[in-house]
Amino acid sequence: MDAQTQLRAAADRAYSMPLEQIDPSDPTLQQDDTHAPYFARLREEDPIHHTADSLFGPFWSVTRYDDIMHVEMNPQLFSSDSRRGGIAIMDGNAAVSLPMFIAMDPPKHDVQRKVVSPIVAPENLARMSGLIRQRTADTLDSLPINQTFDWVPSVSINLTTKMLATLFDFPFEERQLLTYWSDVTTALPGTGVIDSEEHRMAELRKCGEYFLRLWNERVNAEPKPDLISMLAHSEKTRNMPPDEYLGNVLLLIVGGNDTTRNTMSGSVLALNRFPDEYRKLCANPQLLESTAVPEFVRWQTPLAHMRRTATQDTELHGKRIRAGEKVVMWYVSSNREPGKFNDPGSLQLDRENARQHQSFGFGIHRCVGNRLAELQVRILWEEILKRWPEPGQIEVIGEPQRLCNPFVRGYSSLPVRINA
Amino acid sequence: MKITYIDYNGTQRDVEVEAGTNLRDAALNNAIPGIDGDCGGECACATCHVRVDPAWLPRLPTMGDQEKMMLEMMDDRDERSRLGCQIHLSPELDGLVVHTPMGQH
């Protein structure tokens, strides 16, 4: 079945099935890219929706932009604390249940976040941009011309892994471990990366040991501007228990890796789906300095959701949420809300309110690395257009393979050809 | 009314704005560098961070809980930090001077 037929079948099903049976967490909806009609119906008919039974147990779905904003801005009501369940829909995933600053509430959240956030401050990004550009140029110059290859490992994974190794000052020759541990952290068991939760934990213990070794090296050396040294030398974090250190490391690995990687792949796919926009970009590359990059991030929405847990009984858009219940904010839905974004399914590189997308979250947990991610995607396209300035020169040749995952919206492969 | 934005290089930009707007919108409408305002003015992203000239600080509207919460998570805030979207430009702020950062994050 081709993608269009599949989407039509999904729309028929989404609008004919009993409302209460809709389960937006079904990971095949992301794998097949058929989630849109289900979310459209929920936004229209049941914007705060309860799913009684799913792979991830019972949970509430928040599907509209303004309701998500309400949840984001009230962390005292909707907690991120790992002890309550953390920030992702899966409860049994030991990796995402570790203490890490994204999965903490204030005041500890604010304290730990501030230890690492200077690395992505504007001055530091300005300093790093030359290196990012050089690496991007080298990577593009090594790509095969006029033959089909997979963009995901050759460009997206390649570039984001090098960036992450730089941020950690991680042994460069072993940097592919970072990508592997990122995948181990977020994968659903049985989808190709890990077989079980035990398998996940076994692999992450190795990650913990590796990073403990790096910690011990850095803590006994002069402070340096890499993430491990910053954590090891800050008085706010230097006495972290090992599981909290591992949690923060995994957060930074996934945050610095998956999202940028998948936006890099998504941008290529989006421009191929919307050739007029590809022409617009080639005619006006300055769009990369204003709205084009946020629009790529909106269109891709590299994380489908973030999760919170209600700390007390509360009301949300007329529904009664009870203390302890799981509340999932579906960014993949709010970023497609017609009342917020005109013709939301389409890519519009000059979209006036592109920056208002919710892919980075809002409120105190807003993505700390958002400007670094944007910088990497901007430089990638600037360097692509320098080499291949005509619309369609990076041509998608076949269907991408998407991840079977309710959290990370990404690609395991994207066949392309550079026409030159 | 007149508002003065001074960027991280020390470059001063005086702009004429209508009373009743806010410091974020006034910056974006006048292409002031260093102000992003991602969330649209909802006090939800802290990307309209400015440092207010000390002489003007006591004359600003008081800080709400949401603004305090957003400033609390920032590594580079100080006692002059405010979010532009929360500073409603009433006529008595004519002449306000604020400093903008190199960039927001």
Side-chain angles (χ1 to χ4, degrees):
Chain A
M1 208 170 12
D2 70 28
Q4 280 305 318
T5 318
Q6 207 171 18
L7 193 57
R8 267 197 301 276
D12 288 344
R13 186 161 179 275
Y15 280 90
S16 61
M17 73 194 290
L19 191 61
E20 65 274 13
Q21 284 177 21
I22 292 183
D23 172 13
S25 73
D26 176 352
T28 63
L29 300 182
Q30 299 303 331
Q31 186 174 30
D32 303 337
D33 199 29
T34 52
H35 53 86
Y38 296 93
F39 283 117
R41 185 172 177 209
L42 291 183
R43 283 193 306 271
E44 290 154 18
E45 297 178 28
D46 194 26
I48 309 294
H49 172 76
H50 193 255
T51 300
D53 187 29
S54 79
L55 265 179
F56 313 101
F59 67 97
W60 290 97
S61 288
V62 188
T63 54
R64 284 195 191 170
Y65 191 98
D66 289 345
D67 293 330
I68 288 180
M69 207 59 133
H70 172 78
V71 174
E72 300 263 33
M73 298 313 294
N74 286 283
Q76 74 291 357
L77 287 178
F78 301 100
S79 166
S80 296
D81 196 314
S82 60
R83 290 165 298 184
R84 296 181 191 266
I87 49 103
I89 194 170
M90 37 293 223
D91 291 304
N93 180 341
V96 298
S97 314
L98 287 168
M100 50 180 83
F101 69 85
I102 196 176
M104 290 171 190
D105 293 331
K108 196 172 174 184
H109 159 268
D110 298 346
V111 170
Q112 293 201 357
R113 177 189 169 108
K114 280 186 275 196
V115 172
V116 297
S117 57
I119 203 167
V120 286
E123 299 74 18
N124 219 32
L125 294 191
R127 220 168 40 74
M128 284 193 286
S129 65
L131 176 68
I132 297 171
R133 191 173 297 281
Q134 187 56 52
R135 281 191 182 145
T136 305
D138 292 346
T139 297
L140 295 177
D141 288 338
S142 71
L143 295 175
I145 303 296
N146 295 326
Q147 65 185 72
T148 302
F149 68 96
D150 190 348
W151 187 263
V152 171
S154 303
V155 179
S156 308
I157 290 180
N158 185 341
L159 288 175
T160 46
T161 306
K162 284 176 180 162
M163 187 73 244
L164 201 53
T166 303
L167 294 177
F168 282 116
D169 194 14
F170 190 89
F172 209 67
E173 297 311 308
E174 296 196 282
R175 65 186 183 276
Q176 77 289 344
L177 284 170
L178 294 169
T179 312
Y180 175 66
W181 288 326
S182 182
D183 292 343
V184 166
T185 301
T186 58
L188 274 190
T191 59
V193 182
I194 48 155
D195 309 324
S196 62
E197 287 301 328
E198 294 71 37
H199 185 193
R200 188 194 321 268
M201 270 330 281
E203 293 306 304
L204 291 180
R205 264 195 298 277
K206 294 179 205 164
C207 172
E209 286 162 19
Y210 198 111
F211 271 91
L212 199 57
R213 208 163 65 235
L214 296 180
W215 173 287
N216 289 335
E217 284 169 21
R218 310 278 155 92
V219 79
N220 293 317
E222 285 298 300
K224 287 188 303 169
D226 69 77
L227 287 166
I228 302 170
S229 185
M230 287 160 91
L231 289 169
H233 284 277
S234 167
E235 62 182 84
K236 311 278 175 36
T237 48
R238 71 182 176 211
N239 296 317
M240 272 189 299
D243 66 334
E244 201 168 305
Y245 172 51
L246 178 59
N248 279 320
V249 161
L250 293 177
L251 164 63
L252 294 165
I253 290 179
V254 173
N257 197 8
D258 271 348
T259 49
T260 312
R261 178 210 303 186
N262 291 316
T263 303
M264 285 179 169
S265 301
S267 65
V268 172
L269 183 63
L271 289 171
N272 272 263
R273 291 275 163 85
F274 299 93
D276 286 348
E277 296 298 303
Y278 203 152
R279 279 190 282 277
K280 200 191 277 177
L281 180 64
C282 292
N284 185 10
Q286 291 83 352
L287 282 169
L288 291 168
E289 287 159 31
S290 54
T291 45
V293 174
E295 175 66 354
F296 286 141
V297 180
R298 184 196 71 87
W299 191 86
Q300 177 56 33
T301 310
L303 292 181
H305 75 264
M306 282 284 172
R307 170 259 181 95
R308 302 288 185 258
T309 305
T311 59
Q312 57 192 76
D313 292 2
T314 183
E315 196 158 297
L316 196 52
H317 209 127
K319 293 280 178 87
R320 189 104 184 118
I321 314 280
R322 299 198 181 277
E325 288 181 334
K326 188 191 294 197
V327 176
V328 177
M329 303 178 284
W330 291 101
Y331 301 146
V332 67
S333 171
S334 58
N335 280 344
R336 291 288 188 277
E337 185 169 316
K340 186 72 192 175
F341 300 104
N342 174 43
D343 190 9
S346 72
L347 183 79
Q348 296 176 18
L349 295 179
D350 49 5
R351 188 184 288 283
E352 209 169 286
N353 65 347
R355 286 208 160 277
Q356 291 179 34
H357 69 72
Q358 291 185 322
S359 303
F360 290 137
F362 278 112
I364 59 169
H365 294 288
R366 183 168 170 79
C367 173
V368 74
N370 58 16
R371 294 300 187 254
L372 175 59
E374 290 175 347
L375 180 67
Q376 292 178 84
V377 175
R378 173 163 72 83
I379 290 178
L380 173 63
W381 275 98
E382 285 172 355
E383 293 301 316
I384 289 174
L385 294 178
K386 272 185 207 166
R387 286 161 181 76
W388 304 296
E390 302 297 323
Q393 273 191 281
I394 313 286
E395 184 184 1
V396 172
I397 294 297
E399 279 299 305
Q401 297 292 313
R402 292 184 175 79
L403 304 182
C404 182
N405 194 300
F407 186 56
V408 177
R409 295 191 71 235
Y411 307 90
S412 52
S413 84
L414 178 67
V416 302
R417 180 185 146 107
I418 299 173
N419 299 308
Chain B
M1 56 190 287
K2 188 186 85 168
I3 304 293
T4 298
Y5 295 89
I6 302 175
D7 76 12
Y8 73 106
N9 279 324
T11 304
Q12 181 173 331
R13 291 175 178 83
D14 298 333
V15 298
E16 276 300 319
V17 304
E18 296 276 325
T21 184
N22 67 53
L23 203 53
R24 168 202 178 271
D25 292 348
L28 293 182
N29 291 336
N30 288 283
I32 297 295
I35 300 291
D36 297 333
D38 290 8
C39 73
E42 305 266 324
C43 196
C45 67
T47 64
C48 59
H49 177 210
V50 296
R51 289 192 174 77
V52 178
D53 189 87
W56 287 91
L57 264 180
R59 296 152 77 172
L60 295 185
T62 51
M63 215 185 273
D65 288 343
Q66 199 164 311
E67 186 180 359
K68 279 184 200 154
M69 176 176 88
M70 293 307 294
L71 286 170
E72 194 50 49
M73 65 143 186
M74 299 173 68
D75 64 77
D76 58 344
R77 62 95 49 114
D78 63 28
E79 66 285 352
R80 296 177 302 146
S81 293
R82 293 295 304 259
L83 297 180
C85 67
Q86 299 304 298
I87 300 180
H88 176 82
L89 294 174
S90 53
E92 52 275 27
L93 291 178
D94 189 8
L96 176 65
V97 179
V98 297
H99 295 259
T100 56
M102 182 179 183
Q104 304 279 343
H105 77 296

